[in-house]
Amino acid sequence: MSFQGTENYIATRALQVAVNAAVTLQKPLLIKGEPGTGKTLLAYEVAAALGKSLFTWNVKSTTTAQQGLYEYDAVARLRDSQLGDGNINDIEHYIKKGKLWEAFDSEEQVVLLIDEIDKADIEFPNDLLNELDKMEFYCYELKRTIKAKHRPIIIITSNNEKELPDAFLRRCFFHYISFPDRETMKQIVDVHYPDLEEKLITNSMSIFYGIRDIKALKKKPSTSELIDWIKLLLVGKVSADLLEDFQRNTEIPPFIGALLKNEQDSGLYEALRNKTKRPY
């Protein structure tokens, strides 16, 4: 089996190659790219395309590597011992399996998504080196080694908020999802809105890429935000001709808040529109 994208996910040839290479090499696939370029969604679509279950580990700033393995609730065991609960001798009763353990325990190969790994502490990736290499870890409370029954397909996403350690990078296959060009973006829009008028797609994308071309923007609008904006245009019954009129004059296109997410960018765009007035 190989990944070639799905009906709901347009994967470039380079991305298809990256996914299949990582699967072949049995290495984690490290995916970087702008927010909104489909990094997280990729894991869902890979799982769907290959017919495998998906385990998702959402990383936060407070997440530790240990939580992905397991957590031992010593407080609950102490409380039960004071109350005379009969389960205190069953240590496994007080162990909560993490996503890595669950993926290792699966009877079939699964896809494991470690989402936004760069949100955690800098030592987080280093703390997973042995587990990702050997596909096993030791549970001290149970005095046994937990080994993967089937090596999971691991997809790791990063928004590049901080540099990842070299030792961790060496163990991954890396791919950067470049922002879609107009042709690829049109294919993505067609997936979400297959019956959309061609002229509306052209005009909305023209405005969208025009905004992205503004160099001083603090946050450039993403693919997902374009999809949201088009939905609002349809709900608001904004025609392709009306969008064309907005391109010609100084008025701000409707629902621009779907694309520009802070006052600095909104003010900059409005100032540029006023400065570059076009005649009818």
Side-chain angles (χ1 to χ4, degrees):
M1 294 185 294
S2 64
F3 176 70
Q4 298 178 328
T6 67
E7 292 181 356
N8 301 315
Y9 192 93
I10 303 300
T12 63
R13 177 60 181 163
L15 180 56
Q16 294 175 34
V17 169
V19 171
N20 294 320
V23 172
T24 300
L25 295 173
Q26 296 186 323
K27 287 180 175 290
L29 174 61
L30 175 60
I31 295 289
K32 291 187 179 183
E34 286 185 36
T37 49
K39 300 187 296 298
T40 299
L41 184 58
L42 173 65
Y44 288 82
E45 297 304 323
V46 168
L50 302 183
K52 299 184 183 298
S53 299
L54 175 70
F55 290 81
T56 302
W57 183 8
N58 295 306
V59 178
K60 301 178 181 179
S61 59
T62 56
T63 302
T64 64
Q66 182 62 38
Q67 291 171 329
L69 307 181
Y70 68 92
E71 294 181 274
Y72 170 57
D73 195 344
V75 174
R77 190 181 183 208
L78 176 60
R79 183 185 64 244
D80 288 348
S81 68
Q82 293 171 338
L83 296 175
D85 192 290
N87 285 327
I88 59 171
N89 292 323
D90 181 10
I91 298 179
E92 195 161 355
H93 178 72
Y94 300 97
I95 289 179
K96 179 184 178 182
K97 295 179 180 179
K99 293 298 180 181
L100 207 59
W101 190 335
E102 290 179 2
F104 283 6
D105 237 9
S106 177
E107 295 299 330
E108 298 180 347
Q109 186 185 47
V110 301
V111 175
L112 172 64
L113 169 63
I114 304 178
D115 200 24
E116 298 189 329
I117 193 172
D118 53 326
K119 278 188 175 180
D121 184 85
I122 188 63
E123 291 304 320
F124 178 86
N126 281 333
D127 291 341
L128 288 175
L129 293 181
N130 187 65
E131 289 75 14
L132 295 180
D133 251 356
K134 298 183 177 180
M135 288 288 123
E136 66 180 41
F137 63 89
Y138 189 74
C139 178
Y140 292 92
E141 288 76 11
L142 298 179
K143 295 182 174 60
R144 78 167 188 255
T145 299
I146 309 300
K147 296 184 177 182
K149 296 177 180 178
H150 302 277
R151 192 179 191 97
I153 298 170
I154 300 176
I155 297 177
I156 303 171
T157 70
S158 169
N159 286 324
N160 227 10
E161 292 182 8
K162 62 170 67 81
E163 289 295 324
L164 298 174
D166 289 345
F168 177 80
L169 295 175
R170 283 198 300 272
R171 288 163 170 80
C172 299
F173 189 94
F174 171 77
H175 181 75
Y176 183 88
I177 298 182
S178 301
F179 196 83
D181 57 24
R182 289 177 184 250
E183 182 180 346
T184 305
M185 184 65 81
K186 185 180 182 305
Q187 294 176 26
I188 294 172
V189 172
D190 285 342
V191 167
H192 292 271
Y193 305 105
D195 301 319
L196 196 60
E197 179 190 356
E198 189 74 22
K199 189 175 180 181
L200 183 60
I201 296 177
T202 300
N203 290 346
S204 60
M205 285 178 50
S206 179
I207 292 174
F208 173 76
Y209 277 100
I211 293 175
R212 280 191 57 89
D213 286 342
I214 300 174
K215 294 182 179 180
L217 277 188
K218 187 175 181 180
K219 182 194 176 301
K220 295 180 183 292
S222 68
T223 305
S224 59
E225 288 160 340
L226 172 61
I227 300 303
D228 290 343
W229 186 49
I230 292 176
K231 180 178 182 179
L232 291 173
L233 294 177
L234 294 174
V235 171
K237 300 186 185 309
V238 179
S239 68
D241 290 335
L242 185 57
L243 275 185
E244 194 169 9
D245 288 341
F246 282 117
Q247 287 181 274
R248 291 173 177 167
N249 59 40
T250 62
E251 289 186 74
I252 302 299
F255 311 117
I256 201 66
L259 301 177
L260 299 174
K261 299 301 178 72
N262 61 69
E263 64 278 10
Q264 174 184 317
D265 289 347
S266 296
L268 175 61
Y269 181 62
E270 185 173 355
L272 290 173
R273 296 293 295 162
N274 290 330
K275 186 177 179 181
T276 58
K277 184 176 180 180
R278 300 175 183 177
Y280 285 98

